[in-house]
Amino acid sequence: MFIKRIFRHLKQWSSSGIQRRLVFWSICFWVLTISIISLSFLWIGQNRIIGETRQRNVQLASIISRDVNARISSIYSDARIFSRHLESLSPLLYNQTAAMLSLRLSAPQRYRAVYYFDGGGNLLLYLTDTLENLLEIEPVEIATRPPIPVDEEITSAYRAIGTASTSISEVRFTGIDRTPVLYVGFPLNFADGVTRALVLELDLRDIWQRINLSTIGQTGFAYAVSRDGTIIAHPEASYLGNTIPSVLNPLLAGYEGFTGYTEPIKQTAVLTTFNPVGGPTGWGIVVQQDESEVLASMLRSGALIVGVWIALALFGTFGIRIMMRNFTAPIVELTRTTQNIANTGFLAKTGMIQSPDEVGQLSHAFDGMIDRLQTAEGELRQSHEELESRVASRTAELSGANARLQQEIAQRAQAQEALRRSETKYRHLVESANTIIIEMDTSGKITFFNKFAQDFFGYNESEILGKSVIGTIVPPKDTSGKDLEAMIEDIGKHPERYLHNENENMRRNGERVWIVWTNQPLYNEEGNFNEIMCIGINRTEQKKAEELLARETKEKATAEERNRLARDLHDAVSQTLFSASLIAEVLPRIWERHPDEGRKRLEEVRQLTRGALAEMRTLLLELRPAALVEAELGDLLHQLGESITGRSRVPVAVTVEGKCALPAEAKIALYRIAQEALNNVAKHAGASQAKVNLQCQPGSIVLRISDNGKGFDMKTRSPDSFGLGIIQERAGEISASLAIESSIGHGTEVMVTYKDISGGIKQ
């Protein structure tokens, strides 16, 4: 109220003269200008400081997230490799116990405990001993000691294996010192059909220490949250187990970001950056810093800016007052002279003609105006006479224009009559045409329906006009599920896209028919699109004939595919099983005479049966193409290698480096290339061994197939021989690079490099 009262008094003071008004509003403009500039500096400075803080904290959160992800992924990968190692060993408890004891001794600070369950959930053995006890105990003692009760977290990790290939628990805190641990479970499937489960208790203290040591300034720190939003690592132990604020929920959905909020426990304003860790854990990293610490330097700059603002306001006020007083003095003098002319009627000059500034120029113009005022009346009278003459001339011109207008009206009436007769002839032609002709507006409502259309669809004109084509002659969806209602709506908006189209229609009795339409947009007198003429031809019989031909072609292709699979089954699997049967019949006699030779024959039987099994799986994949998309590329290559080994007795070594998911078309193409190359090795190479190597890298995959066979001359050999044309075609379909190297006596190598620029490859 005080400020409002002062402003009202200043406004009253300034209203008494132009000089005061100029001074008042100039000072207001000056103060407002420097205020806006000061606030702009403050706003820019605050945004710059917050932006730098955001960039720094985002980088720190990203670094911590990548470090935690790398460490967790390394531990997870080592544990998975160890589980695969256990599967390669004998399922005897002594062998398994020795391997687990070696794991505990190799990294006692990482693996706190090991639990081993059978397929029924019974604890077979456990390793929870201290490092000193592990150095003294024997595997036999571990394998034979009775089971102990286990915590619910361990049992939950075992049960979770039944629904997934592996299980990862939430972080738990054990012991008096609340050590953070993680339980990871792996299923074990042995060759003899035995199934067991391995649960590892992982120590996370080294990861937690790195998170807690990450600080910024005096108040900034980092902490970790679980996939459900619970704080699992924090410099202050009292925060463990709390739920993060709702503003950080985007982190749980896998997003990174930056936000500010009031910390609920300490009730302090904080700036927070969050970043997902990624990987199988679903954790997130949050970097938090007090907003007061971030903006401390801004407060100091703000005090300086306020001081400068006060100084500029005072100096500007005095300067404006002095300048305005000097500026308005000539204006006051000019006003006084004008008032004398108005009171006396005497056109006196101002006496300021010699002044060079704008006021002097105004005075000179004022005196010139008085001189020209007397001559203006005579010029005005002359202009009035000229205007009267022009009005008479214009009246004569309008009379002639009216006569011409009457003539044009008569001509237009004749043209309209000719147009009416032409329209009558056109309508008679349309009504008698032996073709479907309809017209509809842009919303799909029928405005014209010729006689042939009425007979064909079963509607008379009074029943169909004004109704939408949808639900009358066009179903909302055709038998294949295509949205015809959306198509009609699009025709009303973009008729040029549907000048010719074919779609399913329906008669009044529900019968579905196929009609080829020719659509022509119609325009009104203003040139605006308002209707569509549709001319249709019934081709239902042709459509039925095409569908019958397509079914017959499909059935023929199915029969040919069945015959091909039957030939493959006879040529590959039947011959392999027959060979295995012959060896198995003579194996007992060979074993009695030559046990070493019997072991070789037994190994040969094993290879033949594994090859036959792999060949059967390959044939099943051919019967179910969707299985190729669902399976891992590495597993497909292993199965293909076993199939070739069993069929041709050529050992095929398959190695897969890394694990990746890639687009379905790329996976199928790489599999077919490997299949064709290995078939060439089995049929033509005369090799004693072959190798398949798959390297999975971020953004690219390299597939190599090589053998030590007889090779061929690259210069003389046709590029389409030995199935090389098929391989080149497959590589071209996915835009992969293909390199083939071969020489006589030194084998052949086929290398395919696939790079996915769309980001579909994930490692």
Side-chain angles (χ1 to χ4, degrees), residues 44 153 161 170 214 231 239 427 535 610 615 640 726 729 731 753:
I44 293 173
E153 291 83 358
I161 298 175
E170 297 290 347
S214 301
I231 299 177
Y239 282 79
R427 181 169 295 276
I535 302 175
R610 285 176 62 88
E615 192 71 30
L640 183 60
I726 297 177
E729 181 180 350
T753 304

Side-chain angles (χ1 to χ4, degrees), residues 521-531:
L522 303 178
Y523 300 88
N524 57 18
E525 295 179 356
E526 290 78 16
N528 298 324
F529 164 60
N530 64 341
E531 287 187 342

Side-chain angles (χ1 to χ4, degrees), residues 50 87 124 142 173 212 280 442 455 517 559 610 615 651 741:
I50 293 177
E87 289 180 338
L124 298 178
I142 298 173
F173 297 91
N212 294 336
T442 56
D455 297 337
W517 294 99
R610 285 176 62 88
E615 192 71 30
E741 296 182 1

Side-chain angles (χ1 to χ4, degrees), residues 672-682 705 707 722-723 727 750:
R672 295 300 186 190
I673 290 172
Q675 186 181 44
E676 186 65 28
L678 290 177
N679 285 336
N680 288 342
V681 173
I705 305 98
D707 64 80
F722 292 161
I727 294 177
V750 177

Side-chain angles (χ1 to χ4, degrees), residues 500-503 505 514-518 535-539:
H500 301 281
N501 74 298
E502 178 181 351
N503 61 272
N505 292 72
W514 282 88
I515 299 177
V516 176
W517 294 99
T518 299
I535 302 175
I537 299 176
N538 180 21
R539 65 178 306 272

Side-chain angles (χ1 to χ4, degrees), residues 152-165:
E152 177 62 25
E153 291 83 358
I154 303 171
T155 306
S156 299
Y158 164 76
R159 288 196 296 265
I161 298 175
T163 59
S165 59

Side-chain angles (χ1 to χ4, degrees), residues 42 58 85 110 118 285 328 334 354 423 427 433 557 565 701:
L42 287 173
V58 166
H85 172 66
R110 173 182 294 180
D118 62 9
I285 296 297
T328 57
L334 181 60
Q354 303 300 325
E423 183 179 356
R427 181 169 295 276
L565 292 177
I701 288 181

Side-chain angles (χ1 to χ4, degrees), residues 342-388:
N343 294 331
T344 62
F346 180 72
L347 300 177
K349 296 184 179 181
T350 62
M352 300 173 57
I353 297 177
Q354 303 300 325
S355 178
D357 57 9
E358 288 82 357
V359 178
Q361 295 175 7
L362 177 62
S363 177
H364 183 272
F366 181 80
D367 293 341
M369 180 185 65
I370 296 299
D371 294 336
R372 290 189 298 271
L373 186 60
Q374 296 176 353
T375 60
E377 185 177 0
E379 295 175 355
L380 181 61
R381 185 180 297 108
Q382 183 180 359
S383 298
H384 178 71
E385 294 175 353
E386 292 179 355
L387 180 60
E388 289 291 338

